[in-house]
Each structure stands twice: as C-alpha cells, then as structure tokens.
Amino acid sequence: MLEIRNLHARVEGKEILKGINLTVNPGEIHAIMGPNGSGKSTLAGVLAGREIYEVTEGEVLYRGQNLLELDPAARACEGMFLAFQYPVEIPGVSNTYFLKAALNAVRKYHGEEEYDSFDFLALVKEKMKLVEMDPSFLNRPVNEGFSGGEKKRNEILQMAVLNPLLSILDETDSGLDIDALRIVASGVNKLHTPDNAAIVVTHYQRLLDYIVPDFVHVLVNGRIVKSGDKDLAFDLEAQGYDWVKDLEEPTAETV
Amino acid sequence: MNREESIQTYQEQFAAFEASLNGGAQSAFHAVRRDALQRFAEQGFPTLRDEDWRYTNFNPLTGTTFTPAERPEADAALRVTAEALATAMPNAPTLLFVDGYFMQGLSDLAQIPEGIEVRDLASALDDNALPLESAATAAATFRHNPFTALNTAFTRQGVSVTVRRNAVIEQPLHLLFLSRAAAGPFVAHPRIVIDVQENAQCGIVEQYVGEAGAVYFNNVVSDIRLGENAVLHHVVMQDESTAAYHVGANYVSVARAGNYGNHYIGLGSSILRNGIHGVLSGEGAHCTMNGTFVPGGTQHMDHFTVIDHAVAHCTSHEQYKGVLADETRGVFTGKIIVRPDAQKTDAKQSNNNLLLSETAQIDTRPQLEIFADDVKCTHGATVGRINDDQLFYLLSRGIDRAQAGNILSFAFASDIVSRIPIASLRDGINDRLYRRLEESWKK
C-alpha cells in the first residue's frame, strides 16, 4: 500500500528526515516511536503533504503512484487520512458543514453521488456512536472550544466518516486521559479491516496497550534505527530511548 | 470632462428638472433644492485632498456624462427582471424602483402591514406634506457632503415610510432598486425618508441590483429618525452592477432608548462610497453598525461611518469585515465622537480584513474624538490572510483549495450576516454571499 524509500526531508533548511525506509501492507498497523525531535511528526506531515516540508531525496509510492506529486486534497481523496496532533479550530464553520463538505469532496473525486443533508446526518450520527460523541457537537464550530479529548475524538469521527485506506495518527494519544484514550483507541480498532492500514505515531508505549501494532519502528534523529514486533515497544518503555539513541545504523531489517 | 464642466452639466440638468416640476417648484422644499445646488456648485465632487474622502478617487464619475433616465412604463416584466437579479427577501412586501423611479403600480402597496404608512416622496414634496423638520435636516446634512447636496438638489424620487407610534411590524419592508443597462449611463438621486415613531419597531431592507454591465450612478440619501424607544433593523444589500457607481449617505438620529441597527452587505458596484452618520441624541439610545464587503476584480469600496454620542448612557457596537480579492481596494473609516456631556458612553468598534491576494489593499482608520472622561471606548483593526493551518486542515480532508478558501472566507464574512436580527433574511443573503465569494476563489 505504502512504500517509502530513502526519504529525506527538511524544514526551513534543516534536514529532519535522513533516509526513511518503510513498507506498509493492507491490514497492517505500524507504530512509529521515538523521542522528541526525532522526526515523527515531520514524517506524518510529509505524507499528508504539508507545504512547509521539503522533500530533498527519495520517493514515496502509495498504491502504485508517486504520492509526492499529489496535492494534499488529492491524497485525502485517494484514501489517506492524517489525524492531527493538534487539530485546528475553524471558527464560523460548523462540524456538520465541514464533515459533509469533506465527504462529498471525496465522493465527487470518485465520481460518486454526493450525500444530501438527510442521508449525511444519518451516516454521521451512526459514526458518532463509535467515538461516543454527543450529536450536539455537530452544530458547534470545528474544534472551537473543544477539550483536548473532544478534539481527538473529532479526528477519529472524521476518519470514520471518510473511511480511509491509510490512516496516519500523529500522537493522537498525547494529552489524553485514560478514558479518552480508550475511546479513541477503540474507535481506531473498530475501523481497522484487512483492507486498510494505519501508521500510529506515538511517544509513549501506553497507546499500544489499546491499539496493538503488527510492527514497531524506532525513529531517532531522522532514521529508523530499530524495527520489531510489539515487544519492542515494551523494551523501549522499560529502558527508555537512550537505549536506542546511540544506534547509528538500523539493527533489524526494516519491514 | 473636467470638474467645472461636470458641475455645469448638473446645473443644466437642474434647470431642466426645475422646468419639469411645474407647480412643484412652488413647494417649500424647492428652496432647499436651490440652496443645495448652489452648495454643490461651490464644492463639486470631493477630491483626494479632502480629508474625509482622501482614499477614493471620483474622477471616473466626471469622466462619463450621466443623465437622468426616462421614467419606465409600468410593465410587470420589470418586476420579474428585478426579482431574477435580487436575493429573495421572504415575507417582505416590495416597493420597486426602476432606473431611479418609484414604480407604485409594480409595488406591493396593498400588502403594506397596518401601522406603516408609505408615501411617494414626489407627491409628498409637491404637497408640502413632509414635516418641515425633514427639510431642515436635509439643509443641515448637505453642507458637509457634496453628494448629499447633489441628491438634495434633485430630490423628488423616493419614498417616505412612517411607522406609527406603538406599531410593531413583524414583516420587513423591502425597497428594491433595479437599474437597467439600456437606461444608462444614467444618474438617479433616490431619497428614503424613514420615521419610526415612539415605541414602534420594524425592519427595512434596501436592495440594489443592476443588470450585468449596466453603467449608472446611484446617489442615494436616507434620512432616518427613531423616536423614543423605537427599534429599526436596517439591512442594505448592495449588489449593483460592477460597472455602476453607488454613493450612499444615511443620516440617522436616535432618541431616548431607541435602537438603530445598520447591516450592510457590499457586493456590487465599481466604486462604492457608503456613509452612515448616526447621532445618539437621547439617553439610553443604542446603535449597531455592522457590515461586510467582498470586492473582487478592481472594485473599490469605501465605508465611512460616524457615531456621535451626544448625550450620556448611550452604547454603540460597530463591526466591519472586508474580504478583498484581486486588485481591489477597501477603505474603512470609523469616527466615534463622544461629546462632553456623554458620560458613561460605551462604544465598541472593530474592523477586520482578509486579503486574498498580494495586490488587494485596505486602508482602515479608527477616529476617536472623546471629550468626556468617564467613558468606555474600544477599537481594533486587523488585516490578515487566510490561515495556513486552517487551510491545510480542510485540504487534508479532501476539500480542494478553491472550496477550502471559500469556506474560510465565507465563515469570516457571514459572521456579519448571522447578526442580522431578522432571521428570515439570513439564508438568502448567505447564499448570495457564498456565491459571490466563490467567484473570487474560482480564478
């Protein structure tokens, strides 16, 4: 589904990603862990198409096409979804309006009929149950005045409505209490199928108690220095990132 | 045509106008007209050297000869044409004006609610049926504004609306002005006289539409008076032809505990200048001035507002929001005067602008003249661009750049529409605003 080869990227002239290799197949959940400043969010941003990141080397293939040539909207329409670390507030635009505009944009892209308000509302109310959100959130401006947990649940609601093939969750767990974490993780798990895949970017092992990854990669200083199964996350938790920080080269075959 | 020639043209037009009045030239108001013409002849159109007019170049107005249009035949098709161009104003009886003329036969005069009296201004002036104080107000206002002087010299077409004491009118009154291409280049000087008496309440919507490409000069003056405890929701939908010139001047006085709200939606015209001069003359009076303007192409929109706190315990809220695309220019001047006796004044003003291009320009100037010491006056102005984080958030959900930009700029501007107290009008105005902004983003 996704193949990243020797990806280098920089922001404001500073190189952050220094040769990332990663392959994600349908049905897989990959966790990317790493200390602050290791490049986790940069990787998520590059994949979603944020303009502030400049790709200097390497390539990214997504379902057989050159991902880096697609603009951010086209990436979303092609089934990519980024759950933001810091979801953006949009005053004056209601959550319903936003969700409906997004869903219809994706449907239009695929030549499908757009949802009318009635059908859309039925769909979104169904999806809201997944993240235990109250329907009153629909009429509120996007993320404005939402608590941290509400914002993250709103991200997963968008994911549920758009039904992506590849989801990238950028530190979706950060700042969440355990109840919110459980709700968010359960939403992600329910949306997981053999046909879609997820990349879960996190600083803490805790999230992985709820979303069990097939693969764990450790990102340090712009490179994946270690890959393994879910047990790698426990090792990191027990020993801290210092244990891997000194690793110069990948010690396991990247998957 | 130079400055002197343009003045001479209007003097010649006045001579013809006077001759056409017959008995009307003997009316009390006609002396005011003559004074006004004299005043206009002394001043001519404002130039960039006049402090209150320095951001708007009116040379294009003297570059074209505008003459009054012929009165159109009362053909029902005119109403159809006007409504096709206009934003629907549900449940609002319509008074139709075409090329500057009040078309009584095409207006919903029979549906005017009980408690409102609508009079054709021309006959009211000829019959000396307008209160003398209207003439006095007219004389006072044109001294400071050459356009008002010009309007006053030619004042005849228009309407007088009186809302009787204690009348609370649910249905807004809709004044629809259609300007046609075939009649141009024409000049019209419509005058709207609104008198909301003690304890009365109503809504009035002025809407200006023009056929595509129509060239004309609409020089409108409104005289508005609110009695004690009276409420007026005044909505202006300015959707003129983008080849037209629109100058508006609103003179408002609000008596004790009265509440005046002006809600301006600026979409059309090549050059717009809209002035609102509000005087809070009785304690406890309140005034709201909200507006949004969304010029595209090379449109120029100049808003000049004055709120005069003449006595104590009055409040005013003002917010103008501009969304400027392409090579447009916007101007906002917000003058707030607090007189020495106007203690406990509470005045809030803000002007926020969104620039959609590198070449759009806004001049914003708050002017506070405060002569009392126990008052609260706040003002603020912002100029910004579309927020990149918000834009990317929408893009990352599959919404393309044009639609995302439109969603964000519409959210910004429609904030003003959401504050129009007459809920039935909001959907239609929002639809029109959205489509207008869409044009800016499609390029």
Side-chain angles (χ1 to χ4, degrees):
Chain A
M1 179 175 286
L2 183 75
E3 201 173 340
I4 302 174
R5 293 181 191 145
N6 191 31
L7 182 67
H8 291 247
R10 59 185 183 190
V11 57
E12 288 163 358
K14 187 176 180 233
E15 189 164 51
I16 308 285
L17 300 183
K18 300 169 181 171
I20 301 274
N21 293 289
L22 181 68
T23 301
V24 178
N25 295 305
E28 294 175 353
I29 295 179
H30 290 246
I32 295 183
M33 301 184 69
N36 289 331
S38 60
K40 303 189 298 291
S41 284
T42 301
L43 177 59
V46 167
L47 293 178
R50 267 220 98 134
E51 277 171 8
I52 52 166
Y53 302 114
E54 185 195 350
V55 174
T56 51
E57 212 183 317
E59 61 179 349
V60 182
L61 291 174
Y62 171 71
R63 302 180 73 214
Q65 48 187 329
N66 182 351
L67 182 76
L68 302 177
E69 279 180 357
L70 297 176
D71 69 38
R75 292 180 198 197
C77 291
E78 289 285 348
M80 265 187 62
F81 181 88
L82 172 67
F84 282 57
Q85 181 179 6
Y86 304 109
V88 179
E89 298 183 4
I90 309 183
V93 178
S94 79
N95 227 6
T96 317
Y97 184 88
F98 167 59
L99 280 166
K100 186 167 166 243
L103 179 62
N104 280 338
V106 173
R107 291 181 69 85
K108 198 171 153 193
Y109 181 90
H110 292 289
E112 294 164 357
E113 203 180 323
E114 296 184 24
Y115 270 92
D116 63 23
S117 296
F118 187 80
D119 290 342
F120 173 74
L121 212 60
L123 173 84
V124 77
K125 282 192 171 156
E126 187 59 39
K127 303 288 185 189
M128 286 184 99
K129 290 180 192 158
L130 207 65
V131 282
E132 300 175 27
M133 263 173 101
D134 189 274
S136 69
F137 279 89
L138 288 174
N139 298 323
R140 289 170 52 179
V142 178
N143 292 326
E144 197 182 39
F146 286 28
S147 72
E150 286 163 352
K151 283 180 180 172
K152 296 297 173 78
R153 274 146 72 183
N154 203 25
E155 294 292 290
I156 306 305
L157 171 65
Q158 292 166 40
M159 180 174 152
V161 168
L162 295 176
N163 195 21
L165 288 167
L166 176 64
S167 304
I168 302 157
L169 284 76
D170 188 8
E171 304 214 16
T172 296
D173 54 328
S174 63
L176 291 190
D177 64 28
I178 200 73
D179 293 332
L181 183 68
R182 219 176 265 144
I183 292 168
V184 164
S186 132
V188 173
N189 287 331
K190 283 177 190 155
L191 293 171
H192 186 55
T193 71
D195 300 321
N196 63 27
I199 298 173
V200 181
V201 174
T202 182
H203 186 84
Y204 305 103
Q205 179 271 335
R206 192 180 65 161
L207 176 66
L208 306 180
D209 289 342
Y210 299 95
I211 301 174
V212 181
D214 301 296
F215 303 95
V216 174
H217 312 277
V218 183
L219 188 63
V220 176
N221 195 20
R223 283 194 193 88
I224 291 176
V225 294
K226 200 165 174 60
S227 294
D229 62 15
K230 63 181 180 353
D231 292 337
L232 178 55
F234 292 109
D235 294 343
L236 281 172
E237 184 75 1
Q239 303 180 47
Y241 284 112
D242 288 342
W243 168 58
V244 286
K245 261 185 180 166
D246 301 329
L247 297 174
E248 283 293 317
E249 292 300 323
T251 54
E253 200 57 32
T254 48
V255 280
Chain B
M1 194 163 55
N2 65 28
R3 193 177 156 81
E4 284 70 31
E5 283 165 344
S6 79
I7 292 172
Q8 204 188 335
T9 304
Y10 286 106
Q11 283 172 322
E12 286 161 15
Q13 285 181 16
F14 185 78
F17 169 62
E18 199 169 41
S20 74
L21 286 175
N22 298 321
Q26 264 66 56
S27 71
F29 191 77
H30 196 66
V32 180
R33 288 193 186 112
R34 283 192 178 158
D35 265 8
L37 183 76
Q38 181 60 33
R39 182 70 185 162
F40 174 73
E42 288 160 19
Q43 294 178 301
F45 289 121
T47 70
L48 300 179
R49 286 190 301 276
D50 297 317
E51 183 59 26
D52 287 351
W53 304 87
R54 57 183 287 204
Y55 295 110
T56 300
N57 179 356
F58 288 103
N59 282 344
L61 264 185
T62 50
T64 307
T65 304
F66 296 93
T67 49
E70 296 287 319
R71 175 181 268 281
E73 295 295 320
D75 181 346
L78 289 174
R79 178 80 188 251
V80 177
T81 305
E83 281 175 358
L85 290 166
T87 295
M89 300 292 167
N91 307 320
T94 297
L95 305 180
L96 183 67
F97 297 75
V98 180
D99 305 336
Y101 292 91
F102 184 21
M103 308 301 288
Q104 294 190 71
L106 301 176
S107 298
D108 301 330
L109 293 176
Q111 283 137 57
I112 304 291
E114 186 92 6
I116 298 193
E117 191 189 323
V118 170
R119 285 205 64 167
D120 169 31
L121 194 70
S123 61
L125 290 172
D126 290 355
D127 299 347
N128 295 318
L130 270 196
L132 273 179
E133 47 202 301
S134 292
T137 312
T141 53
F142 69 66
R143 303 270 155 224
H144 309 289
N145 184 331
F147 289 100
T148 302
L150 192 62
N151 175 292
T152 307
F154 289 92
T155 288
R156 186 168 160 82
Q157 288 301 320
V159 67
S160 139
V161 178
T162 305
V163 187
R164 289 195 192 289
R165 200 167 164 262
N166 298 329
V168 175
I169 314 295
E170 301 282 339
Q171 289 172 286
L173 190 62
H174 180 204
L175 278 53
L176 178 56
F177 294 79
L178 165 68
S179 296
R180 295 176 306 157
F186 72 85
V187 58
H189 306 281
R191 190 126 187 165
I192 302 163
V193 180
I194 301 170
D195 190 5
V196 188
Q197 296 180 346
E198 197 183 344
N199 288 322
Q201 178 175 338
C202 76
I204 291 181
V205 187
E206 280 171 48
Q207 179 165 215
Y208 298 89
V209 295
E211 287 179 339
V215 179
Y216 52 92
F217 168 27
N218 230 343
N219 181 29
V220 191
V221 174
S222 302
D223 304 291
I224 298 167
R225 199 174 53 167
L226 275 74
E228 286 196 9
N229 212 32
V231 179
L232 174 62
H233 305 307
H234 186 194
V235 179
V236 182
M237 182 80 178
Q238 191 273 105
D239 202 359
E240 302 272 29
S241 142
T242 51
Y245 303 91
H246 184 105
V247 176
N250 301 266
Y251 299 94
V252 186
S253 77
V254 190
R256 190 180 170 282
N259 182 343
Y260 172 76
N262 188 296
H263 305 267
Y264 196 95
I265 315 296
L267 310 175
S269 75
S270 160
I271 295 178
L272 161 75
R273 161 78 174 204
N274 190 59
I276 312 175
H277 192 123
V279 181
L280 299 171
S281 58
E283 290 195 0
H286 174 79
C287 150
T288 298
M289 290 185 193
N290 288 340
T292 183
F293 51 104
V294 296
T298 56
Q299 285 180 292
H300 180 109
M301 295 188 179
D302 179 346
H303 291 276
F304 188 91
T305 65
V306 180
I307 301 175
D308 186 344
H309 285 260
V311 296
H313 294 287
C314 291
T315 53
S316 63
H317 285 179
E318 177 171 34
Q319 182 164 29
Y320 267 75
K321 285 187 151 186
V323 179
L324 297 100
D326 309 323
E327 287 163 46
T328 57
R329 188 159 180 200
V331 183
F332 171 80
T333 306
K335 187 181 281 194
I336 293 175
I337 304 167
V338 181
R339 304 276 171 193
D341 292 337
Q343 301 295 2
K344 304 291 179 187
T345 287
D346 189 349
K348 290 192 187 74
Q349 177 193 90
S350 68
N351 171 226
N352 312 103
N353 302 285
L354 201 50
L355 301 182
L356 304 186
S357 77
E358 297 290 329
T359 44
Q361 193 184 335
I362 177 81
D363 291 288
T364 172
R365 44 174 191 173
Q367 296 182 334
L368 274 60
E369 298 175 8
I370 301 173
F371 303 103
D373 53 13
D374 185 13
V375 301
K376 219 161 45 177
C377 289
T378 60
H379 69 92
T382 62
V383 180
R385 299 189 182 280
I386 289 282
N387 179 301
D388 282 341
D389 289 335
Q390 293 177 347
L391 187 67
F392 181 71
Y393 197 59
L394 296 177
L395 296 177
S396 77
R397 299 305 181 241
I399 298 167
D400 68 36
R401 197 166 287 273
Q403 196 191 351
N406 197 25
I407 286 173
L408 294 174
S409 42
F410 174 74
F412 177 82
S414 70
D415 177 29
I416 296 297
V417 180
S418 69
R419 294 180 212 197
I420 296 175
I422 309 167
S424 59
L425 304 182
R426 289 184 212 134
D427 283 354
I429 294 175
N430 268 331
D431 280 355
R432 179 68 188 107
L433 180 62
Y434 190 87
R435 279 186 290 115
R436 179 67 190 76
L437 283 166
E438 218 167 31
E439 288 166 29
S440 291
W441 280 96
K442 266 181 184 158
K443 285 171 206 163

